[in-house]
């Protein structure tokens, strides 16, 4: 079976989505003060070693503000690999604490995944993690039980998709994204596609203005687009 590649290609992330629902799911959640970064030239940033390092420094300085939510299957067809799960979601504890319930996370053993999902994670996560491992220290697998977990497909902040309330999902929980995930192949593209938000838009704005990244994008408040 041909391996489906998930490398976070900038252009693929900018493709408009369909079928993610038309209801504004955010209306029932507390989103005041949330912000995101709208880049105008993400390609240049991801190709320039100096700007990549600047992005790394920036994310490290605002790490406690970082909210990660990425519905992986909104960017690639993996129905066969998912098996009994409806979605594969990469997120961090800060997102679940704000929009879900950490007590609803039930550990999943890697060996109990379908062979297709194991193959998928081995091939793709190695491209996204700093160590090149599928599940390095700091990344764990869970099933989210109970009511749906608010999650972002790609391009929600661009208005090309709506958030979903995902049920029966396999969760890739990344405890500290800025330390575990690669900046150029993962974090910067996920910021560009709207899958990384920031809890305090004003604090992030001040930090962003002091970085070299300010010439390539702007910090915006989420409520201004929804």
């Amino acid at each position: 079976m041909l391996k489906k590649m998930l490398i976070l290609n900038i252009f693929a992330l900018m493709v408009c989505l369909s079928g993610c629902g038309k209801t504004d799911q955010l209306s029932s959640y507390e989103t005041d003060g949330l912000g995101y970064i709208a880049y105008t030239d993400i390609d240049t940033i991801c190709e320039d070693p100096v700007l990549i390092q600047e992005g790394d420094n920036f994310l490290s300085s605002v790490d406690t503000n970082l909210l990660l939510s990425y519905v992986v299957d909104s960017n690639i067809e993996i129905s066969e690999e998912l098996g009994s799960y409806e979605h594969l979601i990469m997120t961090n504890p800060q997102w679940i604490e704000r929009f879900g319930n950490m007590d609803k996370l039930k550990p999943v053993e890697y060996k109990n995944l379908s062979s297709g999902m194991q193959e998928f994670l081995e091939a793709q996560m190695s491209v996204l993690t700093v160590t090149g491992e599928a599940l390095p220290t700091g990344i764990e697998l869970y099933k989210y039980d109970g009511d749906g977990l608010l999650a972002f497909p790609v391009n929600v902040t661009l208005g090309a998709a709506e958030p979903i309330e995902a049920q029966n999902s396999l969760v890739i929980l990344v405890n500290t994204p800025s330390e575990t995930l690669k900046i150029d192949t993962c974090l910067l593209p996920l910021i560009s596609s709207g899958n990384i938000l920031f809890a305090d838009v004003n604090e992030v704005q001040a930090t962003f203005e002091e970085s070299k990244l300010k010439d390539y994008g702007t910090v915006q408040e989420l409520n201004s687009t929804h």
Side-chain angles (χ1 to χ4, degrees), residues 2-226:
L2 294 176
K3 294 181 179 179
K4 297 186 176 86
M5 298 307 294
L6 174 66
I7 297 176
L8 292 178
N9 184 283
I10 301 300
F11 300 106
L13 284 172
M14 302 302 286
V15 174
C16 292
L17 303 176
S18 60
C20 289
K22 300 300 181 182
T23 303
D24 185 1
Q25 298 284 5
L26 290 179
S27 61
S28 58
Y29 293 91
E30 177 56 57
T31 60
D32 288 347
L34 292 184
Y36 66 96
I37 298 174
Y39 282 115
T40 56
D41 190 359
I42 189 64
D43 293 348
T44 296
I45 295 175
C46 290
E47 294 170 0
D48 186 325
V50 173
L51 293 176
I52 290 172
Q53 184 59 54
E54 190 73 8
D56 195 10
N57 296 340
F58 167 74
L59 285 178
S60 295
S61 66
V62 297
D63 188 68
T64 57
N65 258 307
L66 193 152
L67 301 168
L68 167 65
S69 180
Y70 170 40
V71 181
V72 178
D73 49 287
S74 70
N75 192 41
I76 187 170
E77 172 56 46
I78 54 171
S79 298
E80 183 179 343
E81 288 83 352
L82 281 170
S84 61
Y85 294 106
E86 293 186 16
H87 297 285
L88 176 63
I89 299 173
M90 180 185 291
T91 188
N92 67 334
Q94 287 90 334
W95 180 279
I96 296 181
E97 287 167 358
R98 180 154 187 154
F99 296 114
N101 187 334
M102 292 290 287
D103 291 337
K104 293 183 179 180
L105 290 174
K106 308 302 179 184
V108 172
E109 291 191 38
Y110 184 77
K111 66 180 181 180
N112 292 334
L113 297 175
S114 68
S115 58
M117 180 55 72
Q118 290 185 31
E119 181 181 349
F120 178 80
L121 292 176
E122 288 169 4
Q124 311 312 324
M125 290 299 292
S126 61
V127 179
L128 308 180
T129 62
V130 173
T131 64
E133 301 170 274
L135 295 175
T137 301
I139 297 182
E140 300 159 335
L141 295 175
Y142 293 90
K143 177 182 178 181
Y144 191 84
D145 280 343
D147 297 334
L149 171 65
L150 181 73
F152 272 30
V154 295
N155 297 334
V156 168
T157 56
L158 295 177
E162 289 287 340
I164 65 173
E165 289 185 336
Q167 298 183 349
N168 187 33
S169 296
L170 179 61
V171 172
I172 303 171
L173 190 69
V174 185
N175 289 309
T176 311
S178 65
E179 295 179 2
T180 313
L181 301 176
K182 293 182 70 173
I183 184 70
D184 54 341
T185 62
C186 188
L187 292 176
L188 285 172
L190 285 178
I191 292 175
S192 179
S193 61
N195 296 105
I196 289 179
L197 304 180
F198 300 94
D200 187 333
V201 65
N202 293 324
E203 181 178 331
V204 170
Q205 173 74 58
T207 305
F208 191 76
E209 286 298 318
E210 296 176 355
S211 77
K212 297 177 182 177
L213 301 175
K214 66 180 181 180
D215 296 330
Y216 300 90
T218 58
V219 176
Q220 300 187 22
E221 190 167 357
L222 185 65
N223 280 344
S224 66
T225 58
H226 282 79

